[in-house]
Amino acid sequence: MADELAHAAAHDDDHDHKPHGWRRWVYATNHKDIGTMYLIFACTMFFIGGGAAMLIRLELFQPGLQFFDPQFFNSLTTMHALIMIFGAIMPAWTGLANWMIPMQVGAPDMALPRLNNFSFWILPFAFTLLLSSFFVPGGAPAGGWTMYPPLVLQTGSSFPMLIFAVHLMGASSILGAINVVVTIMNMRAPGMTLLRMPMFVWTWLITAYLLIAVMPVLAGAVTMLLTDHFFGTTFFTAAGGGDPVMFQHIFWFFGHPEVYILILPAFGIVSEIIPTFSRKPLFGYEAMVYAVASIAFLSFIVWAHHMFTVGMPLAAQLFFMLSTMLIAVPTGVKVFNWTATMWKGSLSFEPPMLFALAFLFLFSIGGFSGLMLAMVPADYQYQDTYFVVAHFHYVLVPGSIFGIMAGVYYWLPKWTGNMYDLKLATWHFWLSAIFVNVLFFPQHFLGLAGMPRRIPDYAVQFTDWNMVSSIGGFAFGLSQLLFPYIIWKCARGGVRVGNKAWEGAHGLEWELPSPAPYHSWTTAPSDAVIARGAAH
Amino acid sequence: MPQQTLSAPTAAPAEAERRRSVRRTAIVFTLIAAGFYFGFIVMMLVRGSK
């Protein structure tokens, strides 16, 4: 009996009993460990994809072919996009979801921990496969991340590697999304009703629905590419009666919701940070939830705005133009609500708030240029120019990436129990905010002047703004080295923080000790604690 | 940190029901994902055969 009691005490759920050594990570089922692995993986991919971006900017520093042959340049642009989208941003969001969702809904862990382990460990294999394609005959894929046939069917030995890697990434995302939906639907603490959930949880729930709906569509499309290439089918081969334009429709049926998959969790994080540092509840919580859901719904009916110039009936052009412009309405609701939250608030400007504010301003610029691109006659002019490159980079860098950085700087004290170097993080913010604009704003001018995208060389009249953009790119890229250094320094030590690292923070995660215990909510939080957390 | 603990007799059925619910939700969403994957391929096959 005494032995049984001693054994029970040794395996009490409340203490931080955890495996040690490599087994902790390879066999990880703890949501925090898996979240950490996702974030480290995403950071690694961010620097690999960023390295490719700096090589691209190096080549474009001045006209003429300086360093790379055009084929390799095209490989760089293709791989940069694939790595950043599927290797950096999406895993970073999944890492944040893993860390925060169980803590925020009062659950002990994700609902399917072993599946969680599997969905992470797929990723290193997928990206090893993708990155090793640089070393096979014909080089890495160079047909663009959109993989349009017939161009992509001309890819050399790396073609099956690309297709298999995309399948693996898709499987990982779908499994991760199923885990998120199952956790939120089944593991919430009693009293954590849907309309008490934090905005980050809401945005991730909607993101997960999008992932489950559209990642299989991409998988289906690339499966058909594979059979076209190797098994004699002609889904997308015009010579055999197939339709290459149909691939574009299917791809963008995935591709446009994918843009929202990359940005919706950032909306959630900004909706957590702005109230905290304004010391006010979020203005219009329910309107925010409905706005996010509306944006997600609309994302399914706008896909053809990516292909206006392909030749489509006028009625289709009008439909896709107007449905795209409609997205500005729920987006406007969100921007208004964030601004109204700050109105007459007691603002302070710690690094998470700085990144959230930069997100607000710079993402709006990306949104406005998106509206310009939504207009069919204007799009005929802008199509395939650097204006498009500027637009989506404003959405994805100061949008998604700044959102991720804001989230990391917001929750890092909770994860480590230490406050990070605020001064260095503020430096990181200002360098990033300044140079992201030096990098991408001139690309609007280049696009409007007619510089095409995806080219290694250009006419001399585009030289000046390309030089400015490249200088911005090098400075932005180098300044990002501060980010892992600040995290590493914080993980090693620093000023200890209490449960609530930020004075104005609300939410269940701030009711837990800092650093968060290995097992979060082994017993469900009380209704009073949940009500205190749901301050909106 | 105030917490509420379910008493042992009620916890076990609730936990079993939660496990069933987790499994059900996971299966439903897996089927939805598989439906989108095969649905688009079948749609292309049907379109191509016309």
Side-chain angles (χ1 to χ4, degrees):
Chain A
M1 183 68 185
D3 285 351
E4 282 172 19
L5 287 174
H7 179 80
H11 292 82
D12 184 353
D13 284 344
D14 289 339
H15 76 109
D16 271 9
H17 176 76
K18 56 181 174 244
H20 294 282
W22 61 271
R23 283 185 183 81
R24 175 178 174 187
W25 305 103
V26 174
Y27 301 143
T29 50
N30 181 285
H31 70 103
K32 299 186 187 80
D33 285 349
I34 295 175
T36 302
M37 290 197 293
Y38 265 112
L39 289 171
I40 291 170
F41 179 83
C43 191
T44 308
M45 287 296 134
F46 177 64
F47 282 99
I48 294 174
M54 287 170 82
L55 292 179
I56 291 167
R57 287 314 322 169
L58 184 69
E59 177 59 49
L60 293 175
F61 187 76
Q62 59 185 40
L65 293 177
Q66 320 296 324
F67 302 99
F68 313 124
D69 66 78
Q71 175 72 15
F72 184 70
F73 182 89
N74 288 339
S75 290
L76 283 177
T77 57
T78 303
M79 296 292 277
H80 163 71
L82 290 169
I83 292 166
M84 287 303 204
I85 292 169
F86 294 105
I89 299 178
M90 288 173 71
W93 287 135
T94 315
L96 287 167
N98 260 289
W99 252 102
M100 301 315 301
I101 287 176
M103 291 208 285
Q104 290 192 314
V105 300
D109 205 307
M110 297 295 276
L112 303 159
R114 287 186 205 134
L115 187 77
N116 206 10
N117 173 295
F118 184 57
S119 50
F120 169 74
W121 279 110
I122 289 175
L123 281 179
F125 291 96
F127 279 88
T128 304
L129 188 65
L130 187 68
L131 291 171
S132 58
S133 70
F134 272 112
F135 306 104
V136 300
W145 84 283
T146 48
M147 300 177 281
Y148 282 177
L151 182 63
V152 75
L153 297 172
Q154 296 171 20
T155 307
S157 306
S158 62
F159 180 77
M161 300 166 84
L162 167 71
I163 300 298
F164 192 44
V166 171
H167 273 119
L168 288 175
M169 295 164 198
S172 168
S173 300
I174 292 165
L175 297 178
I178 289 173
N179 212 346
V180 166
V181 172
V182 175
T183 303
I184 296 172
M185 299 312 286
N186 297 287
M187 303 286 285
R188 298 195 312 278
M192 176 57 79
T193 58
L194 285 176
L195 285 177
R196 273 181 168 180
M197 291 196 314
M199 277 307 297
F200 181 65
V201 179
W202 257 116
T203 52
W204 236 111
L205 179 64
I206 294 166
T207 301
Y209 282 127
L210 289 181
L211 276 165
I212 291 166
V214 302
M215 288 308 292
V217 177
L218 174 69
V222 297
T223 302
M224 288 184 271
L225 281 181
L226 191 76
T227 60
D228 273 8
H229 195 279
F230 291 110
F231 301 109
T233 60
T234 55
F235 287 110
F236 308 122
T237 313
D243 184 0
V245 174
M246 182 52 80
F247 178 87
Q248 297 189 25
H249 281 290
I250 296 175
F251 180 86
W252 287 113
F253 184 82
F254 144 79
H256 197 78
E258 171 69 14
V259 175
Y260 292 95
I261 288 164
L262 300 174
I263 199 70
L264 288 187
F267 291 169
I269 282 178
V270 169
S271 301
E272 306 252 352
I273 290 173
I274 288 180
T276 295
F277 295 96
S278 303
R279 290 153 185 87
K280 275 178 66 189
L282 180 66
F283 182 89
Y285 167 83
E286 287 189 33
M288 291 294 244
V289 172
Y290 296 131
V292 174
S294 309
I295 291 169
F297 169 75
L298 288 170
S299 75
F300 282 106
I301 57 167
V302 299
W303 75 87
H305 68 215
H306 293 273
M307 38 190 289
F308 280 140
T309 56
V310 84
M312 66 175 77
L314 181 63
Q317 289 185 338
L318 283 172
F319 173 80
F320 286 109
M321 176 175 78
L322 294 173
S323 59
T324 304
M325 294 171 89
L326 210 55
I327 295 180
V329 177
T331 308
V333 168
K334 300 180 74 57
V335 172
F336 177 85
N337 284 2
W338 288 323
T339 312
T341 303
M342 288 185 282
W343 178 252
K344 293 191 174 173
S346 179
L347 300 180
S348 61
F349 298 97
E350 286 86 345
M353 182 64 161
L354 290 172
F355 274 101
L357 287 175
F359 170 94
L360 189 55
F361 283 102
L362 301 178
F363 175 77
S364 296
I365 292 176
F368 282 131
S369 59
L371 272 179
M372 294 168 72
L373 286 160
M375 290 182 268
V376 175
D379 186 75
Y380 270 65
Q381 178 70 23
Y382 306 143
Q383 169 78 22
D384 262 341
T385 67
Y386 255 81
F387 191 83
V388 181
V389 179
H391 155 69
F392 67 73
H393 278 95
Y394 261 90
V395 172
L396 293 178
V397 183
S400 302
I401 302 269
F402 276 23
I404 292 163
M405 287 170 174
V408 170
Y409 281 134
Y410 186 52
W411 285 310
L412 191 58
K414 172 56 63 185
W415 301 342
T416 61
N418 304 321
M419 182 51 77
Y420 50 86
D421 188 333
L422 290 168
K423 196 173 172 186
L424 212 51
T426 307
W427 266 101
H428 175 221
F429 165 74
W430 282 112
L431 290 171
S432 300
I434 291 167
F435 288 113
V436 82
N437 285 295
V438 178
L439 167 57
F440 294 121
F441 209 82
Q443 295 180 4
H444 290 108
F445 309 143
L446 290 166
L448 291 174
M451 178 172 161
R453 61 188 288 205
R454 291 172 169 161
I455 52 158
D457 189 9
Y458 51 81
V460 286
Q461 71 265 29
F462 302 130
T463 307
D464 291 347
W465 286 123
N466 266 299
M467 282 184 170
V468 172
S469 182
S470 289
I471 290 166
F474 301 142
F476 179 79
L478 291 174
S479 64
Q480 296 320 302
L481 294 172
L482 284 171
F483 188 52
Y485 173 68
I486 291 164
I487 295 170
W488 176 77
K489 193 176 160 196
C490 176
R492 280 172 57 92
V495 180
R496 305 295 291 174
V497 294
N499 291 7
K500 212 185 223 191
W502 310 107
E503 174 203 349
H506 290 279
L508 281 185
E509 74 269 37
W510 303 110
E511 303 287 338
L512 288 165
S514 304
Y518 195 62
H519 300 289
S520 305
W521 294 103
T522 48
T523 50
S526 71
D527 201 54
V529 172
I530 293 173
R532 191 165 64 228
H536 41 261
Chain B
M1 188 190 342
Q3 294 175 335
Q4 61 185 26
T5 314
L6 293 174
S7 62
T10 55
E15 184 55 31
E17 175 51 34
R18 183 151 80 172
R19 280 170 189 270
R20 270 194 297 276
S21 177
V22 162
R23 204 176 301 130
R24 205 166 38 233
T25 316
I27 291 168
V28 166
F29 281 95
T30 306
L31 289 175
I32 291 172
F36 273 98
Y37 177 72
F38 291 111
F40 269 73
I41 294 175
V42 169
M43 184 184 78
M44 285 297 292
L45 285 170
V46 170
R47 188 173 178 274
S49 64
K50 279 182 185 167

